């Protein structure tokens, strides 16, 4: 034994086990703050084994569960914490945040309100409340909550960013940009604020500034995939397909199975006219994530351009949207209707579109809206136009009631349609950009119809009718449609061009050679169409070709077109490429053309009618889908069946050596014939007869609860 020590002094002091939960909690907090969420959760659970009612362990465990995506577990833990300390404003606020993420919005709002009642000075409770209100579409109230949060804590970048989001939803873009700028001033590395700033600039069509903001977010490097995908999408909108391709390719090197990147790459290929590759890429994305809505919609759109598509495969693709997206919305939101079942009363008709603006689709449905008999129909337009133009104002003027729903949530739009007591609701977009099919899936009106804008079928059994004609949708394929087909004189018409634009002179008589033309989207011009057109031009070596589309403004698209024709032996000197112009200049281009060539497999629609109204016949090939038969349907309606080809050989034969006198006769007399046969007034009466028939059918059905599957009864 050493001097100065004895047995008693060498013994350790007794261990106090009451300190164990405290030490474990401290350790858990360190791991939690370091982002080691799984380890932190394990430590919190050890604390709770020793101290089951430990408020802090329950509170922080709830947050850790939330941060690892286990929302229900997080909610349970936070609620247990609040049993231990019901006066904790912070725990109530955190519960509101988790409930919001779990899409339990009403409960989230109630939790935030409780937190504010407990501590009115808790800035994060006001901020969380603002975020819940954004989700609920109560944007003005959200701004007020976020403003209160900023009064309490002015230098919180996330709150400024959230405020910008609410203002963006209100369409107050300049104020939104100011809020994002504040967030960035406080935190120059706030990449989400840069991305949101870019999104607002994109909505304002300030594309170059938007691109710079996306590039800044990319340079920060926190979320390269999110920023890169947004950048690629913008480049596509800017018609910079080459840049979008390069961005998507770079993203797929980082993450080869990125579903958004694969989808956008497919969209790039579709823009270049390679529909088969586009569809394959969309299919690859869906194999990875079958319910990824952008890929489902993009695949639907790309299939319209595929040479091997048919009615059955296209409608099956649309049914996928219903299966993965629409069906659950119907199940959650549909309800019986209180509409007056008088079959002969004045009907409320609602039109839903993001194309109440200067857009080709608008030319097809404006004549109907403008010519409705207001003694029998009350017309409401639900507009999704973000940046109104003169055309928007013209639509607003002809509507009985106008609803700017561009920033409305699906819930608000559906509830407004019900409140307006709409009897017949018409979708004018199909699966094209800006559609509100999620609203139609909720079945907010007794009778729902799809027509004109993208009239190829939606796949939604809760859309009762598709307006078409027997050429566009033959009887033998109607079994594949979710909608019932209702025949009109033509699947689509357009408003006549302004008077004075048409010329009775045949360009051949001036030039001494035939000038062919196509004023369709370049994405419609398939390699097969280019091969046929090249054959026509090779067999008629003096002929010329005019192609016009806004996508031609993109140098990559322009060069790709010329290269494809060159590969078929047609030099660039025989082809005139025209890009964006005014509407009048677009129509005047047809004065230079003797005969238009319809692309295939997707044919023209509005462009076909434009040519015919200007006295220029169109050669169209009858295909196996609505999109490939629209041109032929229009020719049949306009009394020009001799220009419909059932094969490529017949297409070439019709186009190669048309009867010049017949072309002159058509140029002089066709516009007047169209006005008499398919003019806006006569066509609108046919549409109104259709609506009345549909309404009478609905009135004759028994009032009952909604079908569980959403199918028509």
């Amino acid at each position: 034994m050493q001097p100065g020590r004895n047995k008693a002094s060498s013994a350790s002091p007794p261990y106090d086990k009451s300190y164990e939960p405290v030490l474990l909690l401290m350790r858990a907090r360190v791991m939690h703050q370091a982002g080691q969420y799984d380890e932190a959760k394990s430590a919190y659970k050890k604390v709770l084994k020793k101290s089951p009612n430990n408020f802090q362990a329950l509170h922080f465990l709830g947050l850790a569960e939330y941060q690892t995506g286990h929302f229900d577990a997080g909610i349970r833990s936070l609620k247990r914490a609040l049993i231990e300390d019901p006066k904790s404003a912070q725990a109530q606020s955190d519960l509101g945040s988790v409930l919001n993420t779990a899409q339990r919005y009403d409960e989230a709002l109630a939790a935030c309100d409780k937190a504010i009642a407990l501590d009115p000075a808790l800035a994060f409770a006001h901020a969380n409340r603002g975020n819940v209100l954004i989700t609920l579409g109560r944007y003005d109230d959200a701004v007020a909550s976020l403003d209160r949060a900023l009064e309490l804590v002015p230098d919180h970048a996330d709150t400024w960013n959230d405020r910008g989001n609410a203002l963006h939803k209100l369409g107050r873009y300049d104020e939104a940009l100011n809020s994002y700028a504040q967030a960035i001033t406080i935190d120059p590395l706030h990449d989400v604020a840069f991305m949101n700033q870019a999104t607002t600039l994109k909505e304002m069509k300030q594309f170059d500034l938007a691109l710079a903001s996306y590039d800044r977010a990319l340079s920060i490097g926190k979320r390269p995939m999110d920023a890169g995908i947004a950048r690629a999408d913008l480049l596509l909108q800017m018609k910079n397909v080459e840049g979008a391709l390069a961005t998507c390719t770079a993203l797929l090197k980082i993450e080869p199975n990125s579903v958004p990147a694969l989808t956008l790459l497919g969209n790039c290929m579709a823009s270049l006219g390679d529909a088969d590759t586009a569809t394959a890429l969309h299919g690859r994305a869906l194999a990875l994530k079958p319910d990824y809505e952008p890929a489902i919609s993009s695949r639907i759109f790309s299939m319209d351009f595929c040479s091997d598509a048919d009615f059955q495969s296209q409608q099956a693709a649309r049914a996928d949207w219903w299966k993965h997206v629409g069906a659950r919305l119907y199940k959650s939101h549909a309800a019986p209707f209180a509409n007056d079942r008088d079959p002969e009363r004045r009907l409320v008709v609602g039109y839903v579109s993001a194309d109440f603006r200067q857009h080709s689709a608008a030319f097809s449905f404006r004549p109907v809206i403008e010519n409705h008999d207001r003694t029998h129909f009350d017309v409401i337009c639900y507009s999704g136009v973000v940046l109104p133009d003169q055309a928007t104002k013209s639509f607003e003027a002809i509507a009985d009631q106008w609803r700017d729903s561009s920033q409305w949530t699906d819930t608000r739009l559906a509830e407004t349609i019900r409140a307006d007591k709409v009897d017949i609701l018409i979708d004018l977009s199909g699966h094209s950009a800006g559609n509100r099919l999620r609203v139609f899936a909720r079945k907010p009106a007794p009778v729902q119809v799809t027509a004109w804008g993208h009239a190829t079928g939606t796949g939604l059994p809760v859309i009762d009718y598709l307006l078409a004609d027997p050429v566009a949708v033959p009887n033998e394929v109607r079994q594949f449609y979710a909608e019932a087909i209702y025949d009109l004189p033509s699947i689509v018409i357009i408003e006549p061009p302004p008077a004075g634009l048409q010329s009775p002179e045949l360009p051949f008589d001036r030039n001494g050679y035939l000038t062919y033309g196509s004023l369709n989207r370049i994405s419609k011009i398939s390699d097969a169409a280019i091969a046929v057109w090249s054959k026509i031009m090779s067999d008629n070596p003096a002929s010329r070709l005019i192609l016009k589309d806004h996508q031609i403004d993109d140098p990559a698209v322009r060069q790709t077109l010329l290269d494809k024709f060159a590969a078929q032996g047609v030099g660039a000197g025989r082809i005139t490429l025209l890009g964006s112009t005014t509407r009048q200049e677009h129509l005047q281009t047809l004065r230079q053309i003797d005969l238009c060539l319809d692309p295939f497999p997707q044919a023209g629609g509005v462009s076909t009618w434009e040519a015919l109204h200007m006295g220029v016949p169109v050669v169209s090939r009858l295909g196996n889908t609505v999109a490939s038969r629209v041109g032929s349907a229009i020719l049949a309606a306009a009394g020009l069946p001799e220009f419909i080809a059932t094969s490529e050989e017949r297409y070439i034969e019709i186009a190669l050596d048309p009867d010049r006198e017949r072309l002159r006769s058509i140029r002089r007399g066709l516009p007047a014939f169209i006005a008499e046969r398919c003019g806006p007034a006569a066509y609108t009466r046919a549409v109104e007869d259709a609506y009345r028939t549909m309404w009478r059918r609905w009135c004759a059905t028994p009032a009952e609860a909604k079908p569980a599957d959403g199918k028509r009864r």
Side-chain angles (χ1 to χ4, degrees):
M1 182 178 293
Q2 294 182 5
R5 293 202 176 192
N6 56 41
K7 187 174 182 179
S9 67
S10 64
S12 300
Y15 179 66
D16 188 349
K17 291 186 177 182
S18 65
Y19 284 103
E20 282 188 9
V22 176
L23 295 172
L24 282 170
L25 184 62
M26 291 173 61
R27 184 182 173 209
R29 290 296 295 141
V30 170
M31 289 187 289
H32 196 162
Q33 291 166 355
Q36 299 172 14
Y37 301 126
D38 289 331
E39 294 86 344
K41 286 196 298 183
S42 178
Y44 289 136
K45 290 174 182 177
K46 288 179 181 177
V47 173
L48 292 169
K49 279 186 179 180
K50 297 180 180 295
S51 178
N53 300 323
N54 188 300
F55 165 77
Q56 287 185 310
L58 289 166
H59 183 181
F60 296 135
L61 175 60
L63 293 178
E65 293 283 14
Y66 159 68
Q67 288 163 323
T68 52
H70 300 111
F71 304 139
D72 289 341
I75 291 166
R76 286 195 299 270
S77 189
L78 284 164
K79 285 185 173 181
R80 283 181 60 197
L82 284 164
I83 291 173
E84 300 305 319
D85 185 0
K87 294 185 178 180
S88 172
Q90 186 62 58
Q92 280 285 3
S93 176
D94 291 339
L95 176 61
S97 182
V98 181
L99 286 164
N100 186 40
T101 307
Q103 300 182 3
R104 292 163 61 173
Y105 306 124
D106 292 336
E107 294 174 74
L109 189 60
C112 292
D113 287 340
K114 287 179 184 177
I116 291 168
L118 289 165
D119 183 359
L122 184 60
F124 289 113
H126 292 282
N128 285 340
R129 184 175 189 272
N131 276 318
V132 176
L133 290 166
I134 290 173
T135 307
L136 290 170
R138 293 170 53 185
Y139 304 122
D140 286 311
D141 292 338
V143 172
S145 284
L146 293 164
D147 281 345
R148 178 58 182 143
L150 289 167
E151 288 174 13
L152 296 164
V153 182
D155 61 348
H156 194 253
D158 286 346
T159 307
W160 281 107
N161 176 69
D162 295 337
R163 183 178 186 270
N165 292 341
L167 291 164
H168 174 100
K169 290 294 187 180
L170 287 166
R172 292 158 59 181
Y173 295 139
D174 289 335
E175 294 174 76
L177 290 175
N178 287 335
S179 284
Y180 297 136
Q182 286 283 356
I184 290 165
T185 299
I186 295 165
D187 180 4
L189 298 180
H190 201 302
D191 62 326
V192 174
F194 276 109
M195 285 190 277
N196 289 333
Q197 181 185 68
T199 299
T200 301
L201 290 165
K202 181 171 70 171
E203 293 281 9
M204 298 171 73
K205 307 298 182 186
Q206 296 183 26
F207 295 141
D208 290 336
L209 291 175
L211 186 60
S213 289
Y214 282 135
D215 285 342
R216 181 69 184 101
L218 267 174
S219 71
I220 293 170
K222 293 180 182 177
R223 297 168 183 81
M225 293 301 296
D226 291 342
I229 286 162
R231 182 181 192 272
D233 189 54
L234 172 64
L235 287 167
L236 263 181
Q237 192 170 339
M238 294 172 70
K239 308 178 189 67
N240 184 350
V241 181
E242 188 174 10
L245 272 170
T247 302
C248 289
T249 302
L251 292 171
L252 288 167
K253 287 180 180 178
I254 299 170
E255 192 176 316
N257 288 329
S258 168
V259 171
L262 286 167
T263 302
L264 280 172
L265 184 60
N267 295 348
C268 291
M269 300 311 297
S271 294
L272 292 173
D274 189 349
D276 293 331
T277 301
T279 304
L281 286 163
H282 296 146
R284 183 178 159 194
L286 290 169
L288 294 165
K289 188 173 175 55
D291 61 348
Y292 185 61
E293 187 175 357
I296 297 173
S297 296
S298 293
R299 182 168 176 262
I300 287 168
F301 207 73
S302 294
M303 283 184 71
D304 284 351
F305 301 83
C306 288
S307 56
D308 61 350
D310 57 21
F311 286 98
Q312 186 172 4
S313 63
Q314 287 194 340
Q315 296 312 308
R318 287 155 172 76
D320 280 344
W321 189 94
W322 174 255
K323 174 184 176 182
H324 292 293
V325 181
R328 58 182 171 80
L329 291 170
Y330 178 82
K331 184 177 180 181
S332 300
H333 297 284
F337 301 104
N339 299 57
D340 179 3
R341 287 176 173 262
D342 179 352
E344 306 306 324
R345 66 174 173 80
R346 187 169 185 252
L347 297 179
V348 179
V349 177
Y351 289 97
V352 182
S353 179
D355 294 326
F356 294 125
R357 58 189 176 93
Q358 194 67 29
H359 188 278
S360 59
F363 302 130
S364 67
F365 48 75
R366 191 206 314 264
V368 175
I369 295 173
E370 189 169 23
N371 284 275
H372 266 308
D373 181 350
R374 286 341 199 247
T375 62
H376 296 292
F377 297 91
D378 179 17
V379 175
I380 306 177
C381 289
Y382 299 93
S383 172
V385 177
V386 175
L387 291 178
D389 55 21
Q390 286 301 120
T392 310
K393 293 179 181 178
S394 72
F395 273 107
E396 188 171 356
I398 62 176
D400 295 309
Q401 300 179 67
W402 181 262
R403 306 278 187 265
D404 180 358
S405 58
S406 60
Q407 304 299 335
W408 290 6
T409 62
D410 293 338
T411 298
R412 181 179 176 187
L413 178 53
E415 288 176 349
T416 302
I417 290 166
R418 279 188 174 271
D420 287 337
K421 296 184 178 179
V422 171
D423 300 307
I424 301 177
L425 188 69
I426 299 93
D427 155 58
L428 298 174
S429 301
H431 284 275
S432 62
N435 74 75
R436 300 304 291 265
L437 290 180
R438 283 172 159 265
V439 172
F440 281 83
R442 300 169 184 232
K443 190 67 170 175
V447 178
Q448 299 193 148
V449 182
T450 182
W452 305 311
H454 187 227
T456 59
T458 63
L460 277 67
V462 292
I463 292 186
D464 304 283
Y465 297 95
L466 165 64
L467 299 184
D469 65 41
V471 177
V473 186
N475 286 329
E476 61 268 22
V477 302
R478 296 186 175 189
Q479 60 183 307
F480 302 126
Y481 282 79
E483 307 93 345
I485 310 300
Y486 195 103
D487 288 324
L488 294 175
S490 174
I491 188 172
V492 66
I493 66 164
I494 65 167
E495 58 187 9
L501 290 183
Q502 187 213 357
S503 170
E505 180 186 358
L506 191 67
F508 177 87
D509 295 336
R510 179 176 66 249
N511 300 325
Y513 56 80
L514 276 174
T515 302
Y516 301 107
S518 176
L519 276 60
N520 289 275
R521 293 196 309 272
I522 294 304
S523 55
K524 288 187 176 185
I525 302 177
S526 65
D527 289 347
I530 288 175
V532 168
W533 294 356
S534 297
K535 170 67 174 171
I536 294 167
M537 295 186 71
S538 296
D539 289 352
N540 187 352
S543 63
R544 299 289 186 272
L545 176 65
I546 295 175
L547 301 178
K548 185 178 186 302
D549 179 46
H550 65 84
Q551 287 182 307
I552 290 175
D553 292 334
D554 184 344
V557 172
R558 189 183 188 92
Q559 191 58 51
T560 297
L561 269 176
L562 293 176
D563 289 346
K564 287 183 176 182
F565 277 100
Q568 298 286 338
V570 179
R574 299 178 62 193
I575 302 172
T576 300
L577 298 179
L578 303 174
S580 303
T581 64
T582 64
R583 167 77 171 152
Q584 180 168 322
E585 290 169 332
H586 180 83
L587 292 169
Q588 285 177 326
T589 302
L590 289 159
R591 299 172 66 165
Q592 307 171 41
I593 297 170
D594 295 290
L595 183 63
C596 277
L597 302 176
D598 219 5
F600 55 84
Q602 188 176 71
V606 169
S607 62
T608 304
W609 270 123
E610 286 176 337
L612 298 181
H613 275 289
M614 293 292 287
V616 183
V618 182
V619 184
S620 190
R621 198 193 78 178
L622 193 66
N624 297 317
T625 65
V626 174
S628 65
R629 298 172 72 92
V630 172
S632 298
I634 292 169
L635 287 167
L640 296 175
E642 70 268 32
F643 288 92
I644 300 173
T646 55
S647 66
E648 291 184 2
E649 292 74 19
R650 180 58 183 152
Y651 187 107
I652 294 169
E653 183 182 347
I654 295 169
L656 191 56
D657 189 24
D659 184 323
R660 309 293 190 274
E661 191 53 45
R662 176 65 171 144
L663 293 182
R664 295 184 188 99
S665 172
I666 290 171
R667 204 169 192 94
R668 291 190 297 268
L670 184 61
F673 178 81
I674 292 171
E676 180 180 347
R677 186 164 179 169
C678 290
Y683 188 81
T684 303
R685 297 293 84 76
V687 171
E688 291 177 339
D689 288 344
Y691 290 168
R692 183 61 64 182
T693 299
M694 295 169 188
W695 180 248
R696 288 169 180 157
R697 288 175 182 172
W698 183 80
C699 290
T701 61
E704 60 181 16
K706 64 182 177 104
D709 55 4
K711 294 180 180 178
R712 296 188 307 275
R713 294 291 188 258

